[in-house]
Amino acid sequence: MSTPGRGLHGHVLDTLGPEITAGEYPPGSVLRTDELAQRFDVSRSVMREAVRVLESMHLVESRRRVGVTVRPKAEWNVYDPQVIRWRLAGADRPHQLRSLTVLRSAIEPVAARLTAQHATAEQCAELTECALGMVAHSRGHQLEGYLLHDVAFHRVILTASGNEMFARLGDVVAEVLTGRTQHDVMFEDPDPAAVTLHVRVAEAVRARDADRAEELTREITVGALQELDILVP
Amino acid sequence: MSTPGRGLHGHVLDTLGPEITAGEYPPGSVLRTDELAQRFDVSRSVMREAVRVLESMHLVESRRRVGVTVRPKAEWNVYDPQVIRWRLAGADRPHQLRSLTVLRSAIEPVAARLTAQHATAEQCAELTECALGMVAHSRGHQLEGYLLHDVAFHRVILTASGNEMFARLGDVVAEVLTGRTQHDVMFEDPDPAAVTLHVRVAEAVRARDADRAEELTREITVGALQELDILVP
DNA sequence: GCTCTCAAAAAGTCAGACTTATTCATCACA
DNA sequence: TGTGATGAATAAGTCTGACTTTTTGAGAGC
């Protein structure tokens, strides 16, 4: 998923990033480069590179004679995929999951509308294939296969929209859907209503019915929000 | 706006970042750290820090024995505020502006709905104040004052929604609105219809009418899209 | 034509010395 | 007593040069 072991500075980030995003250092806390270098047993240069990356994510701020201070959560680059992963792996996973699901509920319907307007014939076919794959795997605890097609479906919707900002949320949605299956409750077969909705979205896109595609996708995301409300009230 | 002069590596980024996001190096292009260090007249350590930051933005990928290769646009972290600024300052500014406006049209109505449900009394007052400020500056070429209140208005909507992902888009929206006034055509007074819509959104939020707040905000963003269609067909 | 070996290339890492900005405490002066 | 200047301490910032490690590509040998 991530890119582990891309050098020593990567290893440092894999430890320090989750710690900071988990809130282990309250905002305003001061870290010192030298101490961190000692703690991780790396040279100052490596440590400095790691700090620079954290700084570019707005997680910390480095100032002379002061040190590396942790910034308040409100300033973090919460759209950075790495930050999202760190937070999803940490303590405020439920909170993050809700934020992202609300984001989905805003983005995906509009994306579906655009997809209905702009999708190529190939993308339409891909979408239908995904929906049919979901149907095929929706019974008998074939959760892995189902998830795979579900993720692919939403990824097509987002990329076929033709909007680069939407397209880049494909990974985020994948992470949310995967997390829902893996970590949280999903023992039973998927909701048949949801499966049907996906099929109908694919149909609407193929029929170039933008209004219907948007509305049906809205129903899907509303369902996702309700599911979350049940899991984490 | 940005944070210029935060060290040598910052200066390097301010030059190299815009170059890459402008597409001056086609995807797959190979840069070498040593050459870059020479070009910018900085030490390798400084150059390495800059490369690490570009790497964390997924603009480039650094591999041993190969060099620093530029990644395809589709992989860039397009939500990184710095990347957004670089692109807005560059050649594909119109394209970027459209992407962001579409994003706004998806996010802001939902944010307004949530704000109507969750805003504190203080936030309601703030919103009303912004709307009235817009009215007050909407006649007689007081564009600066108008813009200020417009930006503040949308920022309140996004933060008061209570969703951290929405809140972080405040800066982006500010950049879009500011850019529209400064760079593009905006000689005349603001559209009176738009001003009225803002006032009515504030009213709807105060009245806790989520449906109306969402619908009115949708009209605002539709207007923004139409305005863009006129400017850049 | 194939694999295997080896050398070159470029990033990665480290250690140490030096520079610079910032803070804070001290002290002189009003 | 308050205030502003002075200076020393501090931690980040920078540079240099040597060394390591991984990866690639060319050439040798089969």
Side-chain angles (χ1 to χ4, degrees), chain A residues 7-9 41-46 63-66:
Chain A
L8 288 186
H9 96 281
D41 196 34
V42 295
S43 67
R44 284 204 312 136
S45 8
V46 169
R63 276 170 54 204
R64 273 185 148 120
R65 164 62 212 236
V66 173

